[in-house]
């Protein structure tokens, strides 16, 4: 989450391992150039659970329609309106900018759970997820995760509820190989790690989860606070690339279930053999 490059991409997406990703599509049919790629996110609302979003940043395109935060000081934690709005770090604005670049007609709801140190309580994250499910938000970007074993069952229940409520949760994997983080390890979410190809329209499907998709996340120019742009590396910045693509897909097929959306995205990945988009694009 800084401009210092770190080895954050998932191992299957590294150049010397991409041959392992070659895969024949599970579907037949002429869907190599899917129609949903022409969509722009029309009619979609995307929740960003993060450090807030700077709605005035040019990269966000004026598409922030609501700012919320999780208030843990109340007797019962609650998602409340964030009167001050804004972004206390820059991380959430970075995610919103990437999504907007791919799905410019989608609107954003920001739910702030992180503080100025870019850290937050797992329970705040859980309450934000519950709000997303209760309000049936079509797509949510989760460029954060929790290592709390105590909250494992809570997150597991929440993401299953989201799955059955037709809410797509797009979640970044841990930047540290072998480290479990929640909810990215659960099958009900779309899990994402970074690759190093500087192209927002290059994504891979990993047939050996728990990390399922790889997107550009190394040395990515991203929006930041105070109207700035920085270069950042991490799975946090790969995730909104997949979120943007799924927002396009859902705007074209609003009734697609999470399973169908995930499958359609996998079908059109660069490493799926027999597809026009996939041939010759592994390298």
């Amino acid at each position: 989450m800084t401009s210092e490059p770190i080895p954050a991409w998932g191992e299957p997406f590294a150049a010397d391992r991409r041959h392992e990703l070659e895969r024949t599509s599970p579907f037949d049919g002429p869907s190599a150039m899917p129609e949903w790629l022409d969509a722009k996110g029309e009619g979609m609302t995307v929740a960003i659970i993060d450090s807030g979003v700077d709605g005035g940043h040019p990269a966000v395109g004026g598409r922030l329609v609501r700012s919320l935060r999780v208030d843990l000081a109340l007797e019962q934690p609650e998602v409340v309106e964030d009167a001050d709005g804004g972004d206390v770090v820059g991380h959430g604005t970075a995610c919103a900018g990437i999504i907007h670049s791919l799905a410019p007609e989608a609107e954003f709801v920001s739910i702030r759970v992180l503080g100025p140190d870019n850290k937050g309580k797992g329970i705040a994250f859980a309450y934000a997820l519950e709000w997303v499910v209760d309000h049936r938000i079509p797509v949510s970007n989760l460029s954060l995760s929790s290592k709390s074993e105590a909250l494992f069952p809570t997150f597991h229940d929440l993401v299953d509820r989201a799955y059955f409520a037709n809410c797509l949760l797009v979640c970044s994997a841990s930047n540290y190989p072998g480290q479990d983080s929640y909810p990215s390890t659960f099958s009900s979410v779309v899990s994402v790690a970074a690759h190093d190809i500087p192209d927002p329209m290059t994504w891979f499907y990993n047939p050996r989860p728990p990390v399922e998709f790889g997107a550009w996340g190394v040395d990515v120019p991203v929006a930041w606070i105070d109207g700035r742009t920085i270069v950042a590396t991490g799975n946090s910045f790969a995730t909104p690339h997949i979120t943007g693509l799924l927002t396009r897909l859902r705007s074209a097929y609003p009734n697609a279930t999470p399973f169908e959306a995930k499958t359609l995205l996998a079908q059109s990945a660069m490493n799926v053999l027999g597809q026009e988009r996939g041939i010759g694009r592994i390298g």
Side-chain angles (χ1 to χ4, degrees), residues 239-261:
T239 301
H241 283 99
I242 296 297
T243 300
L245 291 167
L246 285 170
T247 302
R248 283 190 182 189
L249 193 154
R250 280 219 126 169
S251 77
Y253 307 124
N255 295 321
T257 66
F259 166 78
E260 290 169 327

Side-chain angles (χ1 to χ4, degrees), residues 8-280:
W9 57 90
E11 288 184 358
F13 310 126
D16 62 349
R17 295 278 300 275
R18 280 180 203 134
H19 65 280
E20 298 176 12
L21 293 170
E22 292 183 349
R23 185 166 181 79
T24 301
S25 170
F27 292 142
D28 293 324
S31 55
M33 291 299 290
E35 294 179 0
W36 60 263
L37 280 175
D38 293 329
K40 303 297 181 185
E42 306 94 322
M44 286 291 104
T45 298
V46 180
I48 299 178
I49 301 176
D50 213 290
S51 61
V53 172
D54 178 2
H57 197 293
V60 179
R63 305 303 289 180
L64 179 67
V65 297
R66 194 174 184 187
S67 292
L68 305 165
R69 62 183 175 85
V70 177
D71 191 340
L72 296 177
L74 302 173
E75 183 176 340
Q76 175 73 24
E78 187 178 346
V79 176
V80 300
E81 298 292 333
D82 192 359
D84 296 331
D87 187 340
V88 296
V89 178
H91 195 263
T93 302
C95 295
I98 292 170
I99 297 166
H100 179 67
S101 70
L102 289 164
E105 295 190 23
E107 294 183 333
F108 296 118
V109 172
S110 168
I111 310 175
R112 181 166 63 83
V113 299
L114 301 179
D117 59 356
N118 211 30
K119 296 180 180 179
K121 298 289 187 181
I123 193 66
F125 185 12
Y127 271 92
L129 276 177
E130 185 174 49
W131 188 94
V132 162
V133 176
D134 289 344
H135 289 78
R136 301 295 179 100
I137 303 298
V139 184
S140 297
N141 189 85
L142 317 177
S143 285
L144 72 172
S145 59
S146 172
K147 295 181 288 184
S148 171
E149 293 295 336
L151 287 173
F152 179 101
T154 300
F155 283 116
H156 199 289
D157 177 64
L158 283 168
V159 300
D160 276 356
R161 285 173 52 195
Y163 185 89
F164 294 121
N166 214 21
C167 301
L168 266 175
L169 305 180
V170 190
C171 187
S172 61
S174 170
N175 284 323
Y176 302 98
Q179 181 184 80
D180 286 339
S181 63
Y182 315 116
S184 70
T185 55
F186 299 141
S187 59
S188 297
V189 307
V190 180
S191 53
V192 186
H195 67 56
D196 57 344
I197 300 171
D199 177 9
M201 295 302 294
T202 293
W203 69 94
F204 297 111
Y205 170 68
N206 177 23
R208 287 170 288 278
V211 175
E212 296 169 305
F213 291 94
W216 182 22
V218 177
D219 293 340
V220 185
V222 297
W224 211 250
I225 54 173
D226 301 325
R228 291 185 293 142
T229 298
I230 68 169
V231 175
T233 288
N235 294 339
S236 287
F237 310 108
T239 301
H241 283 99
I242 296 297
T243 300
L245 291 167
L246 285 170
T247 302
R248 283 190 182 189
L249 193 154
R250 280 219 126 169
S251 77
Y253 307 124
N255 295 321
T257 66
F259 166 78
E260 290 169 327
K262 188 186 293 190
T263 304
L264 287 168
L265 188 67
Q267 183 187 19
S268 50
M270 299 304 176
N271 57 301
V272 175
L273 302 181
Q275 301 293 330
E276 184 179 331
R277 284 175 54 80
I279 295 172

